[in-house]
Amino acid sequence: MALNRLTTALALAASLAALAPTAGAADFGTRTPEVKELVDALKPPERTRGIAIVGASAATKTNASMQVGFAFGSAQVMSNDLVKLDRLADALKSESLRDYRYKVIGHTDAVGSMALNMRLSRQRADSVVAYLMQQGIPAERLVADGRGPNELLDPQRPDAAENRRVEVRLVQ
């Protein structure tokens, strides 16, 4: 009897975890996401009345990652990727997201010195924040951070292009 209840409870937990929002770990790679996709990825999880979804903490993490091109060794966004940032700005202006703060995190690949990559990733995050502010996002809603090569998307290929990206995470 107790084993049946345990089996049922585990099956229910697995079912709920499968239904958990997957908006959190949105990695758009080189693709230019639609505004709605960005809104869905960046909006906070809906509050429930004491219902906890087991094993969903990673799935409910609210962030979006996309590759934004920069010239080699530069913090200037390549012009063909400005549409990605325009869509991000539109998403941040949306009704669903306008009351929240976000951290813009710059990432690099592992080519070059750690000091150079840390400085460059922060400059790239600063560049994206400055662009978003030009698009009407208030400065107090944005925080820039650089992680350098410390959170590689593809650790098996530390020099891969997908490691050079910008991530946006919900702060509050």
Side-chain angles (χ1 to χ4, degrees):
M1 181 78 165
L3 185 57
N4 284 343
R5 276 189 251 162
L6 177 61
T7 304
T8 303
L10 289 174
L12 179 60
S15 298
L16 288 174
L19 294 174
T22 57
D27 178 15
F28 298 107
T30 59
R31 183 172 70 81
T32 302
E34 296 297 326
V35 173
K36 182 182 181 333
E37 291 177 293
L38 287 165
V39 169
D40 289 345
L42 293 171
K43 70 181 171 187
E46 291 186 26
R47 296 180 187 254
T48 61
R49 301 173 95 190
I51 299 172
I53 300 176
V54 178
S57 61
T60 58
K61 209 166 133 183
T62 313
N63 64 56
S65 177
M66 67 180 113
Q67 291 178 39
V68 176
F70 297 91
F72 183 76
S74 169
Q76 183 174 350
V77 177
M78 297 178 96
S79 59
N80 60 330
D81 278 347
L82 290 176
V83 68
K84 292 177 183 178
L85 298 184
D86 290 338
R87 289 187 182 172
L88 177 59
D90 288 344
L92 293 176
K93 291 177 193 175
S94 75
E95 182 80 23
S96 300
L97 304 183
R98 71 176 182 192
D99 294 331
Y100 298 98
R101 293 181 63 225
Y102 291 89
K103 182 181 284 191
V104 176
I105 305 167
H107 297 273
T108 65
D109 59 26
V111 176
S113 72
M114 178 62 83
L116 172 71
N117 281 327
M118 292 303 294
R119 185 172 54 250
L120 186 58
S121 66
R122 176 57 191 253
Q123 290 170 343
R124 289 176 173 175
D126 286 338
S127 177
V128 170
V129 165
Y131 186 83
L132 292 172
M133 288 170 49
Q134 289 173 355
Q135 305 310 305
I137 306 301
E140 59 272 7
R141 290 188 56 210
L142 302 169
V143 178
D145 187 21
R147 301 287 170 89
N150 293 322
E151 296 175 12
L152 297 175
L153 199 58
D154 186 353
Q156 302 302 320
R157 299 182 318 136
D159 61 342
E162 54 266 21
N163 293 318
R164 299 184 294 269
R165 68 197 191 282
V166 174
E167 185 176 357
V168 181
R169 291 185 187 168
L170 177 70
V171 173
Q172 67 178 22

PDB file of all heavy atoms in Angstrom, residues 116-137:
ATOM      1  N   LEU A 116      41.805  39.687 -20.065  1.00  0.00           N
ATOM      2  CA  LEU A 116      41.249  40.287 -21.281  1.00  0.00           C
ATOM      3  C   LEU A 116      39.797  39.868 -21.468  1.00  0.00           C
ATOM      4  O   LEU A 116      38.931  40.709 -21.735  1.00  0.00           O
ATOM      5  CB  LEU A 116      42.066  39.875 -22.514  1.00  0.00           C
ATOM      6  CG  LEU A 116      41.467  40.278 -23.868  1.00  0.00           C
ATOM      7  CD1 LEU A 116      41.569  41.781 -24.049  1.00  0.00           C
ATOM      8  CD2 LEU A 116      42.154  39.552 -24.990  1.00  0.00           C
ATOM      9  N   ASN A 117      39.494  38.596 -21.301  1.00  0.00           N
ATOM     10  CA  ASN A 117      38.127  38.105 -21.488  1.00  0.00           C
ATOM     11  C   ASN A 117      37.168  38.668 -20.437  1.00  0.00           C
ATOM     12  O   ASN A 117      36.013  38.973 -20.754  1.00  0.00           O
ATOM     13  CB  ASN A 117      38.092  36.580 -21.494  1.00  0.00           C
ATOM     14  CG  ASN A 117      38.522  36.015 -22.833  1.00  0.00           C
ATOM     15  OD1 ASN A 117      38.272  36.611 -23.860  1.00  0.00           O
ATOM     16  ND2 ASN A 117      39.182  34.877 -22.793  1.00  0.00           N
ATOM     17  N   MET A 118      37.621  38.808 -19.210  1.00  0.00           N
ATOM     18  CA  MET A 118      36.755  39.391 -18.178  1.00  0.00           C
ATOM     19  C   MET A 118      36.433  40.842 -18.521  1.00  0.00           C
ATOM     20  O   MET A 118      35.281  41.261 -18.435  1.00  0.00           O
ATOM     21  CB  MET A 118      37.416  39.292 -16.805  1.00  0.00           C
ATOM     22  CG  MET A 118      37.535  37.863 -16.286  1.00  0.00           C
ATOM     23  SD  MET A 118      35.964  36.969 -16.187  1.00  0.00           S
ATOM     24  CE  MET A 118      35.140  37.904 -14.906  1.00  0.00           C
ATOM     25  N   ARG A 119      37.445  41.601 -18.912  1.00  0.00           N
ATOM     26  CA  ARG A 119      37.235  43.005 -19.271  1.00  0.00           C
ATOM     27  C   ARG A 119      36.333  43.120 -20.506  1.00  0.00           C
ATOM     28  O   ARG A 119      35.396  43.898 -20.535  1.00  0.00           O
ATOM     29  CB  ARG A 119      38.584  43.696 -19.510  1.00  0.00           C
ATOM     30  CG  ARG A 119      38.480  45.180 -19.771  1.00  0.00           C
ATOM     31  CD  ARG A 119      39.833  45.880 -19.821  1.00  0.00           C
ATOM     32  NE  ARG A 119      40.754  45.272 -20.768  1.00  0.00           N
ATOM     33  CZ  ARG A 119      41.852  44.572 -20.446  1.00  0.00           C
ATOM     34  NH1 ARG A 119      42.163  44.379 -19.174  1.00  0.00           N
ATOM     35  NH2 ARG A 119      42.636  44.076 -21.377  1.00  0.00           N
ATOM     36  N   LEU A 120      36.598  42.298 -21.512  1.00  0.00           N
ATOM     37  CA  LEU A 120      35.834  42.338 -22.752  1.00  0.00           C
ATOM     38  C   LEU A 120      34.376  41.926 -22.528  1.00  0.00           C
ATOM     39  O   LEU A 120      33.451  42.548 -23.068  1.00  0.00           O
ATOM     40  CB  LEU A 120      36.484  41.436 -23.808  1.00  0.00           C
ATOM     41  CG  LEU A 120      35.884  41.466 -25.198  1.00  0.00           C
ATOM     42  CD1 LEU A 120      35.900  42.878 -25.781  1.00  0.00           C
ATOM     43  CD2 LEU A 120      36.661  40.504 -26.106  1.00  0.00           C
ATOM     44  N   SER A 121      34.142  40.909 -21.715  1.00  0.00           N
ATOM     45  CA  SER A 121      32.757  40.480 -21.469  1.00  0.00           C
ATOM     46  C   SER A 121      31.978  41.583 -20.753  1.00  0.00           C
ATOM     47  O   SER A 121      30.804  41.821 -21.057  1.00  0.00           O
ATOM     48  CB  SER A 121      32.715  39.172 -20.679  1.00  0.00           C
ATOM     49  OG  SER A 121      33.225  39.333 -19.373  1.00  0.00           O
ATOM     50  N   ARG A 122      32.613  42.285 -19.832  1.00  0.00           N
ATOM     51  CA  ARG A 122      31.942  43.393 -19.127  1.00  0.00           C
ATOM     52  C   ARG A 122      31.678  44.558 -20.096  1.00  0.00           C
ATOM     53  O   ARG A 122      30.605  45.164 -20.081  1.00  0.00           O
ATOM     54  CB  ARG A 122      32.784  43.852 -17.941  1.00  0.00           C
ATOM     55  CG  ARG A 122      32.224  45.066 -17.207  1.00  0.00           C
ATOM     56  CD  ARG A 122      30.791  44.797 -16.721  1.00  0.00           C
ATOM     57  NE  ARG A 122      30.164  46.007 -16.251  1.00  0.00           N
ATOM     58  CZ  ARG A 122      29.936  46.285 -14.995  1.00  0.00           C
ATOM     59  NH1 ARG A 122      30.287  45.426 -14.047  1.00  0.00           N
ATOM     60  NH2 ARG A 122      29.360  47.412 -14.655  1.00  0.00           N
ATOM     61  N   GLN A 123      32.651  44.854 -20.950  1.00  0.00           N
ATOM     62  CA  GLN A 123      32.457  45.930 -21.934  1.00  0.00           C
ATOM     63  C   GLN A 123      31.316  45.598 -22.892  1.00  0.00           C
ATOM     64  O   GLN A 123      30.533  46.468 -23.267  1.00  0.00           O
ATOM     65  CB  GLN A 123      33.748  46.176 -22.716  1.00  0.00           C
ATOM     66  CG  GLN A 123      34.848  46.808 -21.900  1.00  0.00           C
ATOM     67  CD  GLN A 123      36.187  46.817 -22.623  1.00  0.00           C
ATOM     68  OE1 GLN A 123      36.392  46.094 -23.606  1.00  0.00           O
ATOM     69  NE2 GLN A 123      37.119  47.622 -22.120  1.00  0.00           N
ATOM     70  N   ARG A 124      31.208  44.348 -23.269  1.00  0.00           N
ATOM     71  CA  ARG A 124      30.124  43.931 -24.159  1.00  0.00           C
ATOM     72  C   ARG A 124      28.775  44.035 -23.460  1.00  0.00           C
ATOM     73  O   ARG A 124      27.793  44.486 -24.050  1.00  0.00           O
ATOM     74  CB  ARG A 124      30.386  42.514 -24.680  1.00  0.00           C
ATOM     75  CG  ARG A 124      31.529  42.499 -25.679  1.00  0.00           C
ATOM     76  CD  ARG A 124      31.880  41.116 -26.150  1.00  0.00           C
ATOM     77  NE  ARG A 124      32.867  41.182 -27.231  1.00  0.00           N
ATOM     78  CZ  ARG A 124      33.436  40.147 -27.789  1.00  0.00           C
ATOM     79  NH1 ARG A 124      33.106  38.912 -27.391  1.00  0.00           N
ATOM     80  NH2 ARG A 124      34.308  40.290 -28.758  1.00  0.00           N
ATOM     81  N   ALA A 125      28.707  43.630 -22.206  1.00  0.00           N
ATOM     82  CA  ALA A 125      27.464  43.787 -21.446  1.00  0.00           C
ATOM     83  C   ALA A 125      27.114  45.269 -21.313  1.00  0.00           C
ATOM     84  O   ALA A 125      25.950  45.660 -21.483  1.00  0.00           O
ATOM     85  CB  ALA A 125      27.597  43.131 -20.071  1.00  0.00           C
ATOM     86  N   ASP A 126      28.115  46.099 -21.026  1.00  0.00           N
ATOM     87  CA  ASP A 126      27.890  47.554 -20.936  1.00  0.00           C
ATOM     88  C   ASP A 126      27.378  48.106 -22.261  1.00  0.00           C
ATOM     89  O   ASP A 126      26.493  48.967 -22.283  1.00  0.00           O
ATOM     90  CB  ASP A 126      29.182  48.281 -20.551  1.00  0.00           C
ATOM     91  CG  ASP A 126      29.568  48.102 -19.092  1.00  0.00           C
ATOM     92  OD1 ASP A 126      28.697  47.781 -18.260  1.00  0.00           O
ATOM     93  OD2 ASP A 126      30.767  48.298 -18.792  1.00  0.00           O
ATOM     94  N   SER A 127      27.916  47.619 -23.359  1.00  0.00           N
ATOM     95  CA  SER A 127      27.504  48.068 -24.687  1.00  0.00           C
ATOM     96  C   SER A 127      26.041  47.720 -24.952  1.00  0.00           C
ATOM     97  O   SER A 127      25.271  48.539 -25.471  1.00  0.00           O
ATOM     98  CB  SER A 127      28.410  47.429 -25.743  1.00  0.00           C
ATOM     99  OG  SER A 127      28.018  47.778 -27.038  1.00  0.00           O
ATOM    100  N   VAL A 128      25.638  46.520 -24.584  1.00  0.00           N
ATOM    101  CA  VAL A 128      24.244  46.090 -24.770  1.00  0.00           C
ATOM    102  C   VAL A 128      23.319  46.910 -23.866  1.00  0.00           C
ATOM    103  O   VAL A 128      22.263  47.369 -24.308  1.00  0.00           O
ATOM    104  CB  VAL A 128      24.093  44.575 -24.515  1.00  0.00           C
ATOM    105  CG1 VAL A 128      22.630  44.163 -24.450  1.00  0.00           C
ATOM    106  CG2 VAL A 128      24.819  43.794 -25.609  1.00  0.00           C
ATOM    107  N   VAL A 129      23.720  47.138 -22.623  1.00  0.00           N
ATOM    108  CA  VAL A 129      22.909  47.957 -21.711  1.00  0.00           C
ATOM    109  C   VAL A 129      22.751  49.365 -22.278  1.00  0.00           C
ATOM    110  O   VAL A 129      21.646  49.923 -22.281  1.00  0.00           O
ATOM    111  CB  VAL A 129      23.526  47.982 -20.293  1.00  0.00           C
ATOM    112  CG1 VAL A 129      22.932  49.095 -19.445  1.00  0.00           C
ATOM    113  CG2 VAL A 129      23.329  46.635 -19.607  1.00  0.00           C
ATOM    114  N   ALA A 130      23.834  49.954 -22.778  1.00  0.00           N
ATOM    115  CA  ALA A 130      23.768  51.300 -23.358  1.00  0.00           C
ATOM    116  C   ALA A 130      22.805  51.333 -24.540  1.00  0.00           C
ATOM    117  O   ALA A 130      22.003  52.266 -24.686  1.00  0.00           O
ATOM    118  CB  ALA A 130      25.158  51.765 -23.779  1.00  0.00           C
ATOM    119  N   TYR A 131      22.851  50.302 -25.370  1.00  0.00           N
ATOM    120  CA  TYR A 131      21.936  50.248 -26.523  1.00  0.00           C
ATOM    121  C   TYR A 131      20.483  50.134 -26.064  1.00  0.00           C
ATOM    122  O   TYR A 131      19.603  50.819 -26.588  1.00  0.00           O
ATOM    123  CB  TYR A 131      22.302  49.084 -27.453  1.00  0.00           C
ATOM    124  CG  TYR A 131      21.479  49.092 -28.713  1.00  0.00           C
ATOM    125  CD1 TYR A 131      21.837  49.879 -29.789  1.00  0.00           C
ATOM    126  CD2 TYR A 131      20.308  48.337 -28.809  1.00  0.00           C
ATOM    127  CE1 TYR A 131      21.071  49.917 -30.946  1.00  0.00           C
ATOM    128  CE2 TYR A 131      19.527  48.366 -29.957  1.00  0.00           C
ATOM    129  CZ  TYR A 131      19.917  49.157 -31.022  1.00  0.00           C
ATOM    130  OH  TYR A 131      19.143  49.206 -32.160  1.00  0.00           O
ATOM    131  N   LEU A 132      20.233  49.293 -25.071  1.00  0.00           N
ATOM    132  CA  LEU A 132      18.868  49.131 -24.559  1.00  0.00           C
ATOM    133  C   LEU A 132      18.364  50.441 -23.952  1.00  0.00           C
ATOM    134  O   LEU A 132      17.189  50.789 -24.111  1.00  0.00           O
ATOM    135  CB  LEU A 132      18.807  47.994 -23.541  1.00  0.00           C
ATOM    136  CG  LEU A 132      19.031  46.584 -24.093  1.00  0.00           C
ATOM    137  CD1 LEU A 132      19.150  45.576 -22.955  1.00  0.00           C
ATOM    138  CD2 LEU A 132      17.933  46.194 -25.069  1.00  0.00           C
ATOM    139  N   MET A 133      19.252  51.174 -23.302  1.00  0.00           N
ATOM    140  CA  MET A 133      18.861  52.468 -22.743  1.00  0.00           C
ATOM    141  C   MET A 133      18.520  53.452 -23.860  1.00  0.00           C
ATOM    142  O   MET A 133      17.557  54.213 -23.737  1.00  0.00           O
ATOM    143  CB  MET A 133      19.978  53.007 -21.848  1.00  0.00           C
ATOM    144  CG  MET A 133      20.093  52.245 -20.534  1.00  0.00           C
ATOM    145  SD  MET A 133      21.568  52.635 -19.552  1.00  0.00           S
ATOM    146  CE  MET A 133      21.559  54.409 -19.537  1.00  0.00           C
ATOM    147  N   GLN A 134      19.252  53.410 -24.958  1.00  0.00           N
ATOM    148  CA  GLN A 134      18.935  54.263 -26.105  1.00  0.00           C
ATOM    149  C   GLN A 134      17.565  53.920 -26.683  1.00  0.00           C
ATOM    150  O   GLN A 134      16.906  54.769 -27.275  1.00  0.00           O
ATOM    151  CB  GLN A 134      19.987  54.107 -27.208  1.00  0.00           C
ATOM    152  CG  GLN A 134      21.324  54.704 -26.888  1.00  0.00           C
ATOM    153  CD  GLN A 134      22.371  54.362 -27.951  1.00  0.00           C
ATOM    154  OE1 GLN A 134      22.112  53.604 -28.887  1.00  0.00           O
ATOM    155  NE2 GLN A 134      23.556  54.919 -27.787  1.00  0.00           N
ATOM    156  N   GLN A 135      17.130  52.671 -26.489  1.00  0.00           N
ATOM    157  CA  GLN A 135      15.828  52.229 -26.989  1.00  0.00           C
ATOM    158  C   GLN A 135      14.711  52.508 -25.986  1.00  0.00           C
ATOM    159  O   GLN A 135      13.570  52.095 -26.198  1.00  0.00           O
ATOM    160  CB  GLN A 135      15.859  50.733 -27.341  1.00  0.00           C
ATOM    161  CG  GLN A 135      16.939  50.335 -28.322  1.00  0.00           C
ATOM    162  CD  GLN A 135      16.956  51.218 -29.552  1.00  0.00           C
ATOM    163  OE1 GLN A 135      15.954  51.376 -30.226  1.00  0.00           O
ATOM    164  NE2 GLN A 135      18.104  51.822 -29.837  1.00  0.00           N
ATOM    165  N   GLY A 136      15.037  53.171 -24.875  1.00  0.00           N
ATOM    166  CA  GLY A 136      14.006  53.582 -23.930  1.00  0.00           C
ATOM    167  C   GLY A 136      13.871  52.748 -22.677  1.00  0.00           C
ATOM    168  O   GLY A 136      12.938  52.946 -21.900  1.00  0.00           O
ATOM    169  N   ILE A 137      14.781  51.827 -22.435  1.00  0.00           N
ATOM    170  CA  ILE A 137      14.730  51.043 -21.204  1.00  0.00           C
ATOM    171  C   ILE A 137      15.451  51.849 -20.121  1.00  0.00           C
ATOM    172  O   ILE A 137      16.613  52.208 -20.290  1.00  0.00           O
ATOM    173  CB  ILE A 137      15.403  49.660 -21.377  1.00  0.00           C
ATOM    174  CG1 ILE A 137      14.825  48.897 -22.572  1.00  0.00           C
ATOM    175  CG2 ILE A 137      15.280  48.848 -20.080  1.00  0.00           C
ATOM    176  CD1 ILE A 137      13.343  48.635 -22.513  1.00  0.00           C
TER     177      ILE A 137
END
